Amino acid sequence: MSSATAQSSSRSGNLDCSSYARGLYINGKWLPGKGIPVTDPSSGNVIAEVADGSVDDARAAVDAAAAAAGGWRATSPRNRAQILLKCFDLMMQRQDELAYLISLENGKSLADARGEVAYAAEFFRWYAEEGVRISGEFMTSPGGGNRIIVDYEPIGIAVLITPWNFPAAMATRKIAPALAAGCTVVLKPASETPLTAYALAALYSEAGVPDGVVNVLTTTNPGTVTAAMLNDSRVRKLSFTGSTGVGRLLLAEASKSVLSCSMELGGNAPFIVFDDADLDAALDGAMVAKMRNGGEACTAANRFLVQDGIYDRFVAGLTARMKALKVGPGTEPDTECGPMITRKAIDKIEALVSDAVDRGAKVELGGKALDREGYFYPPTVLSNVSHDADMAKDEIFGPVAAVYRFGTADEAVAMANDTEYGLAAYIYTQDIRKGMAISSRIETGMIGLNRGLVSDPAGPFGGTKQSGLGREGSHHGVIEFMEAKYIATSL
Ligand code: NAP
């Protein structure tokens, strides 16, 4: 990119994006560099350029994390907690500024971005509280002579890799528990949305996180650069959020060093609506489960499975609500559905919609990319979607609601489980006993029972099957960054 382009495109709205692109953040210092353009998806314009980290930079980041590890581990849990609380406070004080930045580089609406900042900040508050309450175990062995003592220790240096769809929350959901556990980290954020990660790195430093405890590195060469870190014997943990395909590659790489892995991968959430559901509540939940982040969420309702008796009313209600959404740049205050992240994302959605229509789906609303600058796909509703359609198996990751029909509860359960994914599912029924019974038959890590949102820092977030390994949030999340040390003794 020419410097003229960089100059003219670095200001967007009232925000000077170049001030967030200061370089790699290693050992508390900014190492300037260029090579990764950052694009505003509502216009396609480049708004900043960040550094392209190399294998040597990755080694320097691990060096920094290793040098800081002893001091951070020795910092008392209370002092660590106070720093985490400061991170929470600073994020909330800057909620609007951070939300604007997220909206600018990711495209999501300002309302969604503000919600993301609050959610992301809450991980710091939650783990400030959790970090001072990590207890071990003590018991007498069954034979009576020995004592069993279990201590939980920080696992060691953690490599964190995050996606673009929640640039703040996917990072803090890992950094906060890692720091609470006493670990130091290297974060590799997604290339599409690095500005938020760098803005937060500066904020952590201001909150008192010592140099080297959090290091942030962007790269155009994620396979080689992360492999260098995963094969460094000082690194003991990989925590990844992203697609199942990349997750598989990383698991293979991590197997060489037998690294502990937490994997938050893709989803294909069924949203099941029974005849006895409260229709308005189901429609409210459907809009949240489908349209948060314009559908670009791993927990997004990917398949609406609707029972015969309520089917027509649900499709009509959903179509009316989707039609009422205001589409536009995320940074405009009244926008409800922003652009998709890239042109490639639009191409994928178009291919999935066209395949579904070829197999008999009826377009109730939308169904074609918008002819305007940027990467816009309109809110879309497809009814009578065939179970053979590609979108029944793949993540749509866009504002397309695909509605399928079922007759019996057994059919709904079979359809819901007919996927390699097992992240989230939603069930709407006014019969709570039935809702609980169906919940126990659905093969996912999370269920929204008469709720369209499951994400909560206090709840264990994670998937079964090929949606991942381990849990983030709640007391489970911090244990992912700890190792049990068992001491056998005869007291
Ligand atoms: P992605 O393509 O898998 O990328 C995720 C991260 O992995 C990015 O930082 C990416 O870097 C990096 N990466 C790509 N190839 C790599 C490689 N060979 N080695 C090491 N790192 C590599 O996913 P995405 O498109 O950003 O995000 C969307 C996906 O994330 C969806 O599947 C969604 O369901 C999933 N997701 C899951 C959760 C959850 O909690 N389960 C939450 C959010 C999203 P670059 O950007 O530089 O390519």
Side-chain angles (χ1 to χ4, degrees):
M1 187 173 66
S2 73
S3 59
T5 320
Q7 279 292 325
S8 64
S9 59
S10 65
R11 290 195 73 86
S12 205
N14 293 325
L15 206 65
D16 180 2
C17 294
S18 58
S19 67
Y20 295 95
R22 280 173 283 182
L24 309 175
Y25 184 69
I26 296 176
N27 205 20
K29 307 209 169 33
W30 295 98
L31 308 182
K34 291 215 173 291
I36 307 181
V38 185
T39 302
D40 170 359
S42 68
S43 64
N45 292 336
V46 172
I47 52 173
E49 193 170 351
V50 299
D52 184 3
S54 64
V55 166
D56 285 346
D57 294 319
R59 287 209 186 94
V62 176
D63 288 346
W72 186 245
R73 184 186 173 121
T75 302
S76 73
R78 175 64 71 207
N79 285 345
R80 291 202 293 253
Q82 273 163 349
I83 293 171
L84 295 190
L85 272 181
K86 186 75 183 162
C87 291
F88 167 78
D89 286 340
L90 289 177
M91 282 188 75
M92 292 312 292
Q93 280 165 26
R94 295 179 199 162
Q95 185 176 16
D96 286 346
E97 179 191 330
L98 289 167
Y100 194 88
L101 186 61
I102 291 172
S103 181
L104 199 56
E105 64 175 351
N106 167 281
K108 68 178 70 178
S109 72
L110 277 177
D112 278 341
R114 271 195 213 97
E116 180 183 345
V117 176
Y119 174 54
E122 190 59 37
F123 286 102
F124 282 113
R125 181 158 68 171
W126 176 265
Y127 283 110
E129 294 161 345
E130 202 63 23
V132 293
R133 291 183 176 80
I134 297 163
S135 51
E137 297 152 34
F138 182 88
M139 68 180 280
T140 303
S141 69
N146 302 330
R147 298 289 183 274
I148 292 166
I149 301 169
V150 183
D151 192 14
Y152 285 91
E153 299 182 336
I155 196 165
I157 297 171
V159 170
L160 316 176
I161 305 176
T162 51
W164 49 262
N165 64 340
F166 288 90
M170 295 304 97
T172 63
R173 201 165 77 175
K174 300 181 188 305
I175 292 171
L179 266 52
C183 298
T184 57
V185 306
V186 180
L187 170 70
K188 198 223 78 66
S191 303
E192 289 90 350
T193 55
L195 300 179
T196 305
Y198 284 128
L200 288 175
L203 182 149
Y204 307 145
S205 169
E206 198 181 330
V209 174
D211 292 352
V213 171
V214 177
N215 305 279
V216 184
L217 168 110
T218 37
T219 177
T220 53
N221 206 356
T224 312
V225 167
T226 58
M229 293 194 279
L230 300 183
N231 290 306
D232 185 317
S233 61
R234 296 169 296 177
V235 170
R236 293 310 315 144
K237 177 81 195 179
L238 165 65
S239 180
F240 171 74
T241 299
S243 60
T244 295
V246 172
R248 285 192 198 104
L249 292 176
L250 285 167
L251 281 169
E253 194 63 48
S255 72
K256 295 177 188 164
S257 318
V258 194
L259 281 191
S260 163
C261 293
S262 300
M263 311 298 282
E264 297 286 352
L265 308 178
N268 181 4
F271 188 107
I272 306 171
V273 184
F274 285 100
D275 283 347
D276 63 358
D278 174 330
L279 180 62
D280 278 336
L283 290 168
D284 287 347
M287 292 303 289
V288 175
K290 179 76 252 178
M291 293 306 292
R292 190 164 67 114
N293 277 356
E296 294 176 316
C298 53
T299 50
N302 207 55
R303 296 170 291 155
F304 286 95
L305 312 180
V306 185
Q307 202 164 15
D308 283 330
I310 199 170
Y311 189 92
D312 291 341
R313 285 178 293 141
F314 182 85
V315 170
L318 188 62
T319 304
R321 286 175 192 233
M322 293 283 273
K323 195 173 182 179
L325 292 177
K326 170 93 169 61
V327 178
T331 48
E332 284 180 7
D334 55 348
T335 291
E336 294 169 298
C337 179
M340 300 294 98
I341 188 75
T342 52
R343 170 67 52 202
K344 201 170 143 209
I346 296 278
D347 292 345
K348 179 182 174 190
I349 296 168
E350 285 198 310
L352 288 174
V353 169
S354 131
D355 168 77
V357 170
D358 287 349
R359 293 173 197 262
K362 181 177 173 212
V363 179
E364 304 279 350
L365 180 72
K368 201 170 177 315
L370 298 181
D371 185 15
R372 58 182 282 180
E373 71 166 6
Y375 315 131
F376 287 92
Y377 200 90
T380 292
V381 179
L382 303 180
S383 62
N384 291 323
V385 181
S386 159
H387 300 290
D388 297 332
D390 290 345
M391 64 171 60
K393 299 170 200 80
D394 280 0
E395 292 182 287
I396 301 169
F397 242 61
V400 178
V403 193
Y404 305 74
R405 189 187 283 272
F406 72 86
T408 66
D410 285 349
E411 269 173 45
V413 169
M415 285 159 67
N417 290 338
D418 186 17
T419 168
E420 67 187 19
Y421 295 108
L423 190 61
Y426 306 88
I427 300 167
Y428 273 78
T429 170
Q430 294 192 71
D431 178 348
I432 291 300
R433 188 185 290 263
K434 177 166 88 183
M436 292 301 289
I438 299 290
S439 295
S440 69
R441 296 174 63 194
I442 301 288
E443 298 164 352
T444 58
M446 299 176 287
I447 306 265
L449 179 53
N450 293 318
R451 273 185 62 82
L453 181 71
V454 291
S455 302
D456 185 330
F461 190 105
T464 60
K465 292 157 76 174
Q466 296 196 33
S467 286
L469 302 168
R471 294 293 179 268
E472 293 188 321
S474 79
H475 62 280
H476 295 273
V478 72
I479 297 301
E480 301 270 330
F481 290 95
M482 306 199 87
E483 198 96 79
K485 162 83 56 73
Y486 157 45
I487 300 167
T489 186
S490 311
L491 288 176

